[in-house]
Amino acid sequence: QVQPVESGGGLVQPGGSLTLSCSASELNFRHGNMGWYRQAPGKQRELVAALTSGGDTNYAGSVKGRFTISRDNAKNTVYLQMNSLRPEDTAVYYCKLTYNYRDYWGQGTQVTVSS
């Protein structure tokens, strides 16, 4: 399986935390670059966090210090830990695997931050 599969979205209160998961096949996961993107209503899809196969990370300025991207190779899974969530974090979150110059997108999972 090449297409990533996301899970973990839901409703959370402002200031709360949520962790998203994304899984793919073992070979492609281990050697590919992973990224989390999000798209809010009326906005363009944007990069939230990225993690290369070599361990380098980068984050959008709006989430740096609050979100953490990590991977568990034993489970073929990448995570996005989201802390101190704000209403403006509300969006559909997508996982992307980049392998051999091709992008593979998940279906997305809804994250809603509301009191």
Side-chain angles (χ1 to χ4, degrees):
Q1 181 183 355
V2 176
Q3 183 180 23
V5 178
E6 307 101 329
S7 63
L11 175 65
V12 64
Q13 294 184 334
S17 298
L18 201 64
T19 299
L20 307 181
S21 300
C22 173
S23 297
S25 64
E26 180 179 352
L27 180 63
N28 293 314
F29 176 83
R30 289 182 60 190
H31 295 281
N33 298 329
M34 306 297 300
W36 285 99
Y37 291 72
R38 68 185 181 188
Q39 187 166 19
K43 296 184 178 180
Q44 297 296 309
R45 189 173 299 184
E46 64 174 346
L47 175 69
V48 176
L51 175 64
T52 71
S53 60
D56 294 327
T57 62
N58 70 85
Y59 298 90
S62 60
V63 308
K64 191 174 180 63
R66 299 188 297 122
F67 292 10
T68 302
I69 187 170
S70 62
R71 70 200 310 154
D72 185 340
N73 288 331
K75 296 183 177 181
N76 305 325
T77 300
V78 64
Y79 303 95
L80 183 67
Q81 180 180 317
M82 304 182 292
N83 299 323
S84 302
L85 283 162
R86 307 164 180 169
E88 53 263 40
D89 294 319
T90 296
V92 177
Y93 283 71
Y94 298 89
C95 179
K96 186 185 76 173
L97 164 67
T98 301
Y99 180 75
N100 197 23
Y101 306 103
R102 299 190 65 178
D103 294 335
Y104 302 88
W105 291 90
Q107 292 290 319
T109 184
Q110 176 71 46
V111 173
T112 302
V113 184
S114 176
S115 60

